[in-house]
C-alpha cells in the first residue's frame, strides 16, 4: 500500500501537469488564430421598438473584428442605456448613434420632455397671467382660475386654485430652460402660451377654466412643493356684506 500511495501521488502530479500544459496549448492556439484587431461595440440583445427607452437588459457589449464594426456603432453602454430608440433595432444588430435620440434632439422635441403618465397642455398667457414673461421651462407654477357661476338671477365670479405645483415644459416654442432672454428684447420675448405637464385628471379642469373663464399662473420657489387647501373666494368675500 505504501508503494501504491507513491504511484497515486505521482499520477496526480502528472495529471495536473498535463492539464496545465493542455490549457497553455489551447490558449496559445486561440491567441494564434484570434483576430488581433477586435473592437468593442454595443449590440442589441433583444428587439428594441422605436420610441422605447433602452434598458440595460436590451443591449450588450461584444468584440467584433474591426472590418465588421460599423463606423457609427456605439462603443459605450453608458451612451445607450436610458436613451430613446429613434428607430426599430433588431436583436443582434449593432446599435448605431443615428438610431438613438441624442440629448440635443431630445431637448428640441416636446414629446420626450413629457413625464410618464402626464400630458402636455398649452394655455394662453399674457404679460399679467404669465408672470410678466418671467416663467421659464423647468419652473413650477400654481394655476388660479376665475369663472362665473350662475347664482339666482346673476352670475357670481369665483376664484380658486385649481392646480398646484405643476411643471412648465415649454414657453411658446422654447423647451430649453437655459436659453436666455436677449438683452433689450424682453417685450418681444413676452410669452403667448405656456405648456404644462399635467395628469389626465388635471387636464380637464385646466382646459375648462381656460375655455370658459380666465387663468393666472403663480410662480413657485424651486424647493417649495407644499400644497395649500383654500376655499374658492368671491368678490363679496373680499369687500364684505351679505
Amino acid at each position: 500500500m505504501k508503494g501504491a500511495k507513491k504511484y497515486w501521488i505521482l499520477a496526480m502530479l502528472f495529471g495536473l501537469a498535463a492539464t496545465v500544459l493542455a490549457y497553455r496549448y489551447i490558449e496559445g492556439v486561440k491567441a494564434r488564430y484570434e483576430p488581433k484587431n477586435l473592437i468593442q461595440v454595443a449590440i442589441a440583445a433583444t428587439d428594441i421598438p422605436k420610441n422605447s427607452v433602452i434598458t440595460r437588459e436590451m443591449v450588450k457589449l461584444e468584440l467584433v473584428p474591426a472590418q465588421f464594426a460599423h463606423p457609427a456603432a456605439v462603443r459605450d453602454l453608458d451612451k445607450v442605456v436610458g436613451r430613446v430608440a429613434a428607430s426599430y433595432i433588431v436583436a443582434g444588430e449593432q446599435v448605431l448613434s443615428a438610431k438613438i435620440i441624442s440629448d440635443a434632439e431630445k431637448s428640441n422635441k416636446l414629446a420626450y420632455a413629457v413625464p410618464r403618465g402626464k400630458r402636455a397642455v398649452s394655455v394662453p398667457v399674457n404679460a399679467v397671467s404669465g408672470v410678466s414673461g418671467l416663467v421659464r421651462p423647468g419652473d413650477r407654477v400654481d394655476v388660479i382660475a376665475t369663472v362665473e357661476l350662475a347664482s339666482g338671477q346673476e352670475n357670481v365670479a369665483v376664484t380658486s386654485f385649481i392646480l398646484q405645483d405643476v411643471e412648465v415644459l415649454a414657453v411658446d416654442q422654447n423647451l430649453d430652460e437655459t436659453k436666455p432672454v436677449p438683452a433689450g428684447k424682453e417685450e418681444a420675448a413676452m410669452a403667448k402660451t405656456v405648456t404644462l405637464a399635467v395628469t389626465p385628471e388635471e387636464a380637464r379642469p385646466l382646459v375648462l377654466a381656460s375655455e370658459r373663464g380666465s387663468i393666472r399662473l403663480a410662480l413657485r420657489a424651486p424647493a417649495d412643493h407644499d400644497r395649500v387647501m383654500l376655499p374658492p373666494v368671491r368678490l363679496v368675500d373680499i369687500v364684505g356684506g351679505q
Side-chain angles (χ1 to χ4, degrees), residues 20-98:
V20 171
L21 291 174
Y23 174 78
R24 294 181 62 180
Y25 174 77
I26 293 173
E27 290 298 312
V29 172
K30 287 175 61 179
R32 188 182 309 163
Y33 292 100
E34 190 175 64
K36 301 294 183 182
N37 55 342
L38 293 178
I39 293 179
Q40 185 173 260
V41 297
I43 303 291
T46 63
D47 290 344
I48 304 176
K50 180 180 179 180
N51 290 329
S52 63
V53 178
I54 301 175
T55 65
R56 181 62 184 82
E57 292 72 24
M58 293 180 177
V59 288
K60 60 184 178 180
L61 289 177
E62 283 190 4
L63 293 172
V64 299
Q67 64 268 30
F68 299 126
H70 195 284
V74 179
R75 302 182 186 181
D76 187 352
L77 289 185
D78 290 338
K79 296 181 179 180
V80 178
V81 176
R83 299 290 184 90
V84 177
S87 60
Y88 192 88
I89 305 175
V90 181
E93 179 183 352
Q94 296 181 26
V95 180
L96 308 183
S97 57

Side-chain angles (χ1 to χ4, degrees), residues 52 60-62 132 158 163 165-166 182 188 190 207 214 232-233 237 241:
S52 63
K60 60 184 178 180
L61 289 177
E62 283 190 4
S132 299
V158 177
L163 297 177
D165 197 24
V166 178
M190 193 65 66
V207 173
S214 62
V233 64
D237 299 323

Side-chain angles (χ1 to χ4, degrees), residues 1-241:
M1 291 298 294
K2 291 182 179 181
K5 184 178 181 180
K6 179 177 64 174
Y7 291 119
W8 276 107
I9 294 175
L10 290 174
M12 292 176 62
L13 292 175
F14 287 133
L16 180 60
T19 301
V20 171
L21 291 174
Y23 174 78
R24 294 181 62 180
Y25 174 77
I26 293 173
E27 290 298 312
V29 172
K30 287 175 61 179
R32 188 182 309 163
Y33 292 100
E34 190 175 64
K36 301 294 183 182
N37 55 342
L38 293 178
I39 293 179
Q40 185 173 260
V41 297
I43 303 291
T46 63
D47 290 344
I48 304 176
K50 180 180 179 180
N51 290 329
S52 63
V53 178
I54 301 175
T55 65
R56 181 62 184 82
E57 292 72 24
M58 293 180 177
V59 288
K60 60 184 178 180
L61 289 177
E62 283 190 4
L63 293 172
V64 299
Q67 64 268 30
F68 299 126
H70 195 284
V74 179
R75 302 182 186 181
D76 187 352
L77 289 185
D78 290 338
K79 296 181 179 180
V80 178
V81 176
R83 299 290 184 90
V84 177
S87 60
Y88 192 88
I89 305 175
V90 181
E93 179 183 352
Q94 296 181 26
V95 180
L96 308 183
S97 57
K99 291 196 172 185
I100 56 178
I101 301 295
S102 65
D103 290 337
E105 293 171 324
K106 188 175 181 179
S107 64
N108 290 325
K109 191 169 183 180
L110 178 62
Y112 295 119
V114 181
R116 187 177 183 87
K118 294 194 175 184
R119 307 292 187 268
V121 178
S122 296
V123 294
V125 295
N126 53 38
V128 176
S129 62
V131 198
S132 299
L134 298 177
V135 176
R136 295 287 181 267
D139 287 341
R140 304 191 78 86
V141 297
D142 294 341
V143 181
I144 306 171
T146 298
V147 297
E148 289 191 352
L149 302 177
S151 177
Q153 299 298 320
E154 61 181 6
N155 292 337
V156 177
V158 177
T159 298
S160 178
F161 279 82
I162 60 172
L163 297 177
Q164 297 185 46
D165 197 24
V166 178
E167 180 185 1
V168 177
L169 294 177
V171 177
D172 286 338
Q173 295 183 344
N174 177 26
L175 282 70
D176 186 0
E177 62 188 77
T178 63
K179 183 178 180 180
V181 177
K185 296 186 178 181
E186 287 80 3
E187 184 177 350
M190 193 65 66
K192 295 182 179 179
T193 61
V194 170
T195 302
L196 306 175
V198 295
T199 64
E201 293 78 11
E202 294 171 334
R204 295 180 298 171
L206 176 62
V207 173
L208 181 60
S210 177
E211 295 288 338
R212 301 300 297 270
S214 62
I215 62 172
R216 284 197 185 187
L217 304 181
L219 184 62
R220 301 178 67 105
D224 182 8
H225 300 287
D226 294 337
R227 296 173 180 264
V228 297
M229 299 296 293
L230 296 172
V233 64
R234 304 167 299 169
L235 187 60
V236 67
D237 299 323
I238 300 174
V239 301

